[in-house]
Amino acid sequence: MKRTPWSVRGRQLPLETPAVMGILNTTPDSFSDGGEHLDPDTAIAIGLQMVQDGARIVDVGGESTRPGGVAVPADLEIDRVVPVVEGLAAEGVTVSVDTSKAQVAARCIEAGAAIVNDVTAFADPAMAAVCADGGVGVVLMHMLGTPRTMQSDPTYDDVVGEVAAFLDQRAALAVAAGVEGSAISVDPGIGFGKTFGHNIELMSHLGRFVALGYPVTVGASRKRFLGSILEPVRRATVPQERDGATAATVALAVAQGVSILRVHNVRTAVDVALTADAMVPVEEHEQEIDRT
């Protein structure tokens, strides 16, 4: 399947095959791995292992965006993420920083980050200029409300249409602010201000977002709606028990043309993404995989 390449900090990130983005949270309260990577040296070692396991991007975050997550000041977020970004970038890793604060993004770009992953799609009015000046790739995500409020009765008339329209609009605003169109990826924001039904609807119509013309990022890894699907068989699950369900979302996303898969379990996701991609019908003008 033909996918649009992604321009990140002056180079093209090829997406002939889907790219796995490993999640590396340096927070005490993230829903899946909170508290596991607080020490910078430990976090850097885990990030390097993700690359060994096949991640092409490591996404470093210093503020939890789980439902009900508490906001942290920029200086604390900087203290958490900059040493990790700097250490991974020094090893040649393509580093993304998961932040919605322009001040944090600027410091991380100085430290070597190649991508800014903004769950608010540039709600901070200074963010677009910071990213344009840094020449970094950006992920613009849809979220209804804030992490503190997003799961308080989210309502849509047409969740797929409304999310797609929002992302198209935010991408256009980013371009108008100086961000290169080729540097933009869009993310429908699975689990961010969506009910179970909304998440299922979005996952079933990812092609609508691919049709916008930007590489699409999907992050469904270990999320609560997957636990709801498993509950009749597994009863209550903790996030770490949802990797099999996450693998199904990876395969479904790849089959619909998604380019970037944001996950906790990198090794499994890489195996699933490559396998699913090999089974998606190849366009006539594209060369088939050499199976010799």
Side-chain angles (χ1 to χ4, degrees):
M1 179 176 290
K2 189 174 180 62
R3 292 179 174 85
T4 304
W6 194 13
S7 178
V8 296
R9 205 154 191 176
R11 63 185 179 86
Q12 293 288 307
L13 184 68
L15 296 171
E16 288 88 358
T17 57
V20 168
M21 174 189 282
I23 299 170
L24 184 59
N25 290 315
T26 62
T27 56
D29 56 343
S30 292
F31 83 97
S32 178
D33 56 357
E36 294 181 7
H37 312 131
L38 295 178
D39 175 68
D41 290 338
T42 299
I44 291 166
I46 294 295
L48 293 175
Q49 183 60 54
M50 288 178 176
V51 174
Q52 287 291 314
D53 288 341
R56 291 168 55 198
I57 306 162
V58 176
D59 190 41
V60 180
E63 178 182 69
S64 175
T65 53
R66 64 178 175 80
V70 178
V72 301
D75 57 351
L76 176 56
E77 193 176 341
I78 287 168
D79 288 345
R80 289 174 175 176
V81 297
V82 166
V84 181
V85 171
E86 195 168 45
L88 290 173
E91 295 291 334
V93 177
T94 299
V95 181
S96 168
V97 59
D98 178 3
T99 188
S100 58
K101 300 182 182 73
Q103 182 182 347
V104 177
R107 289 289 300 274
C108 288
I109 292 169
E110 290 174 3
I115 298 163
V116 172
N117 178 13
D118 185 352
V119 299
T120 71
F122 290 179
D124 183 334
M127 184 67 93
V130 166
C131 292
D133 291 345
V136 293
V138 301
V139 181
L140 304 177
M141 196 195 80
H142 176 274
M143 174 171 56
L144 189 65
T146 70
R148 271 60 67 187
T149 65
M150 64 187 181
Q151 291 307 111
S152 299
D153 192 29
T155 303
Y156 304 85
D157 292 325
D158 170 13
V159 65
V160 175
E162 289 173 43
V163 172
F166 171 86
L167 292 174
D168 199 31
Q169 177 192 48
R170 298 308 292 178
L173 288 172
V175 170
V179 177
E180 294 290 334
S182 60
I184 295 172
S185 171
V186 296
D187 182 342
I190 302 297
F192 284 82
K194 282 90 176 177
T195 64
F196 176 88
H198 295 146
N199 290 322
I200 298 298
E201 190 76 6
L202 291 169
M203 288 298 306
S204 300
H205 294 86
L206 293 173
R208 179 76 174 272
F209 305 101
V210 174
L212 295 175
Y214 305 99
V216 174
T217 298
V218 166
S221 182
R222 297 181 176 176
K223 289 193 172 174
R224 185 180 302 172
F225 83 105
L226 299 178
S228 298
I229 294 171
L230 298 177
E231 191 168 342
V233 175
R234 303 287 177 231
R235 297 191 179 180
T237 58
V238 297
Q240 294 83 351
E241 295 173 323
R242 301 171 190 160
D243 285 344
T246 298
T249 69
V250 169
L252 181 64
V254 169
Q256 295 178 81
V258 167
S259 297
I260 302 105
L261 296 312
R262 185 177 182 272
V263 300
H264 297 88
N265 188 326
V266 167
R267 189 177 184 86
T268 296
V270 168
D271 290 352
V272 172
L274 292 176
T275 303
D277 189 60
M279 295 179 181
V280 175
V282 180
E283 294 182 13
E284 289 184 5
H285 65 277
E286 294 185 281
Q287 184 176 356
E288 293 191 355
I289 295 172
D290 182 5
R291 307 185 190 282
T292 58

